[in-house]
Amino acid sequence: MVRRLRSLLFILLAAGLGAVLGRLALDARKRMEAGESPAAIDPSKITLRVQDVVPGLVAAFRVKDAPWSWFHIPSWLAAFTVNLGVGALGGDLARFRAQAERTAFEFAGLDARDFGLGGDDESVDYTEGEFTVPPEAVHGDQAGPAAGMPPAPPSDGVPPGTASPAPWPAPPANPAPGA
């Protein structure tokens, strides 16, 4: 009993230390991107929340389950490294994913923009109204289908979920590259 309590305390300590060091790494990275000295970090500004420690605790308790148990990772190490990684990334997963995609495409000798990935900016900004539905489609003010939407398939008395006697038209062929 004392051994398990000591192990749990050590896991909590490692998870907290990983979260704090992850936050310090995130702060240092943000300072470097802003052109400031990364060593000028104020540790008193680092706050630790329960949400920062939970991913490491979950990882610590999951290392005993297959397939993770095959690696024989100590629970305290899992708690520390997961919280360090989550804290250091600080919600920048989309930016790191885009950077990794660009690097992989460059390594393969391809241009990511040809595939609709990457670009010159590292963030995705959506214009206002890009994902909105026209008011006619919501309120039914328009007679017939909403603008830009295909008409409903003819039912011809066929119950839903069965094959329709009038199939949908085939989509147009993709244009040839460079055309």
Side-chain angles (χ1 to χ4, degrees):
M1 177 69 178
V2 173
R3 181 179 173 202
R4 287 184 186 219
L5 188 58
R6 184 176 41 186
S7 176
L8 180 65
L9 183 63
F10 194 56
I11 290 169
L12 286 172
L13 182 67
L17 183 64
V20 168
L21 290 178
R23 286 285 179 111
L24 288 172
L26 175 67
D27 191 28
R29 185 170 51 90
K30 286 184 178 179
R31 286 180 171 279
M32 283 177 43
E33 289 174 354
E36 300 175 11
S37 171
I41 298 173
D42 186 14
S44 64
K45 291 184 179 180
I46 303 298
T47 58
L48 188 64
R49 303 174 303 174
V50 174
Q51 294 92 336
D52 299 332
V53 180
V54 169
L57 294 177
V58 170
F61 293 120
R62 294 295 305 230
V63 295
K64 304 289 188 223
D65 299 338
W68 305 111
S69 63
W70 303 339
F71 298 116
H72 302 288
I73 300 171
S75 298
W76 64 268
L77 183 61
F80 176 79
T81 55
V82 166
N83 281 344
L84 178 70
V86 168
L89 288 178
D92 288 340
L93 288 176
R95 191 180 81 175
F96 285 123
R97 182 190 56 89
Q99 188 175 14
E101 285 176 351
R102 279 195 305 274
T103 304
F105 274 100
E106 288 173 4
F107 182 73
L110 302 170
D111 188 11
R113 291 175 294 208
D114 292 341
F115 295 92
L117 299 174
D120 293 334
D121 64 334
E122 293 186 5
S123 64
V124 177
D125 294 328
Y126 297 107
T127 59
E128 185 174 335
E130 185 174 347
F131 295 107
T132 59
V133 177
E136 301 87 34
V138 176
H139 300 294
D141 296 334
Q142 178 183 7
M149 298 182 71
S155 65
D156 295 334
V158 177
T162 59
S164 174
W168 283 89
N174 288 335

